[in-house]
Amino acid sequence: MRPSFQARLINGPFDDPGLIVHCSHQKRVLLFDLGDLGALSPNDVLNITHIFVTHTHVDHFIGFDHVLRLLLGREKVIRLYGPEGFLKNVAGKLAGYSWNLVHNYHDALVIEAAEVADSHIRIQTFDCQTGFAASPVRELPTPDGVLLQDPMLKVETVVLDHQIPCLAFNLEERFHVNILKPRLDALGLTVGPWLTDFKRRLLRGDNPASILRIPSPFTAASQPQDYSLGDLQQKITRITRGQKIAYVTDAAYHRSNVEKIVELAKGADQLFIEAAFLDAEREVAMAKHHLTARQAGLIGHKAGVRQMTVFHYSPRYAGMAEVLKNEARQAFEHGR
């Protein structure tokens, strides 16, 4: 089964935090955090549709300028989400430049920024053709912390305590469509672009009686084959639970935060979670409102995640990456 989300950390565990997620069968990239983005290709950045920022400390937000530079002069709407104060932070970034020539751009970048609180979001739009002047603020509810929901996926958030509000995120596929190749072969059908359309229709919830026309695999002159969506689903697919990825960084270890993270990440296929300090220095970690490697492992264990990746190590442990990783793994596997 090919996963729908191809997720990887942008940088090494001692470098700026950030997660890039490629959505299979779509030219679509989701980004979690905006640290140093130098490791990304221009094509990665051009395909970004949504960016989810945990908070605006410099190592999580300095990449805003990198994205802005590459997208400027292109016709694109990009949506960003961040914690309370985020609209002011985005406006401040944009106010740091002069925009007297942008009226010459035929293709205009539009930035839609959303500031997330516990029960609502506040949204402002910044349009290149107006010199990124801020629009009036719109306010919308966020039922159950859902920020983004479409036929393929949803992104949820919780607000954590890092002495300032800090967001954690969960990316979840609605369900996964597995194509059974032997059954495909038995019908004389071959893999092709029509399968992407077929999956999209299933995820969208189209009428099972709607007709899908499949091109002949032989010659252009051959007759295409028609199947109803529901019939083809029964014949060639197995529907399984969707993929789930959680991303957590910069959070103090206390009851409220732990409960929120465990609920958000429950049953995730992959948890990306910070492990800034060794547990021997948990008092330092608490003073800096970060997790230790052991605490990260305990959270992953409590959440019942399948796989855990730790990152965002303090530079004081340079050369000790395996020590942090092993401490987290022990707590994750044994729950202590």
Side-chain angles (χ1 to χ4, degrees), residues 34 61-69 80 90 93-94 111:
L34 273 175
F61 198 48
I62 199 168
F64 180 92
D65 287 6
H66 185 102
V67 173
L68 179 64
R69 178 74 179 271
L80 293 87
V90 172
K93 281 277 196 180
L94 294 168
I111 297 171

Side-chain angles (χ1 to χ4, degrees), residues 64-285:
F64 180 92
D65 287 6
H66 185 102
V67 173
L68 179 64
R69 178 74 179 271
L70 277 173
L71 297 186
L72 198 61
R74 299 177 187 271
E75 188 171 355
K76 186 176 180 72
V77 176
I78 191 160
R79 293 175 172 85
L80 293 87
Y81 302 82
E84 288 186 76
F86 190 62
L87 296 182
K88 179 184 69 176
N89 295 141
V90 172
K93 281 277 196 180
L94 294 168
Y97 298 99
S98 300
W99 301 113
N100 59 299
L101 299 178
V102 293
H103 63 277
N104 294 316
Y105 292 160
H106 299 294
D107 297 323
L109 170 66
V110 176
I111 297 171
E112 185 180 276
E115 180 176 294
V116 181
D118 280 317
S119 60
H120 64 275
I121 57 175
R122 302 173 67 245
I123 301 170
Q124 275 186 302
T125 299
F126 302 85
D127 191 326
C128 174
Q129 291 193 326
T130 65
F132 292 108
S135 72
V137 174
R138 294 184 291 129
E139 189 166 304
L140 297 174
T142 53
D144 301 319
V146 176
L147 300 180
L148 168 64
Q149 188 159 21
D150 64 28
M152 180 183 177
L153 58 83
K154 69 176 176 180
V155 176
E156 299 171 289
T157 191
V158 292
V159 181
L160 303 178
D161 166 33
H162 182 48
Q163 198 177 44
I164 59 172
C166 181
L167 304 182
F169 302 102
N170 162 44
L171 166 64
E172 190 167 3
E173 183 184 19
R174 284 187 56 219
F175 54 81
H176 194 82
V177 181
N178 303 275
I179 302 299
L180 305 175
K181 187 65 165 56
R183 296 189 186 181
L184 201 68
D185 294 339
L187 292 175
L189 302 176
T190 57
V191 173
W194 68 270
L195 271 176
T196 300
D197 182 46
F198 169 58
K199 290 181 179 181
R200 188 180 297 116
R201 292 193 190 189
L202 290 179
L203 288 164
R204 199 168 56 206
D206 283 10
N207 186 339
S210 61
I211 299 300
L212 184 69
R213 176 154 291 186
I214 304 171
S216 167
F218 304 112
T219 68
S222 301
Q223 290 297 311
Q225 300 182 59
D226 289 345
Y227 287 91
S228 73
L229 188 66
D231 185 40
L232 199 58
Q233 177 185 341
Q234 290 185 359
K235 282 181 164 61
I236 68 168
T237 71
R238 183 175 71 252
I239 304 298
T240 57
R241 181 183 72 87
Q243 189 180 357
K244 179 175 177 176
I245 297 170
Y247 178 82
V248 179
T249 185
D250 291 50
Y253 189 76
H254 56 62
R255 181 175 179 177
S256 175
N257 273 356
V258 171
E259 287 177 349
K260 287 180 179 181
I261 296 168
V262 168
E263 183 61 28
L264 181 78
K266 186 181 295 182
D269 297 284
Q270 178 80 56
L271 169 63
F272 293 89
I273 186 168
E274 73 154 358
F277 295 89
L278 287 172
D279 205 59
E281 295 189 279
R282 55 186 171 275
E283 291 184 5
V284 176

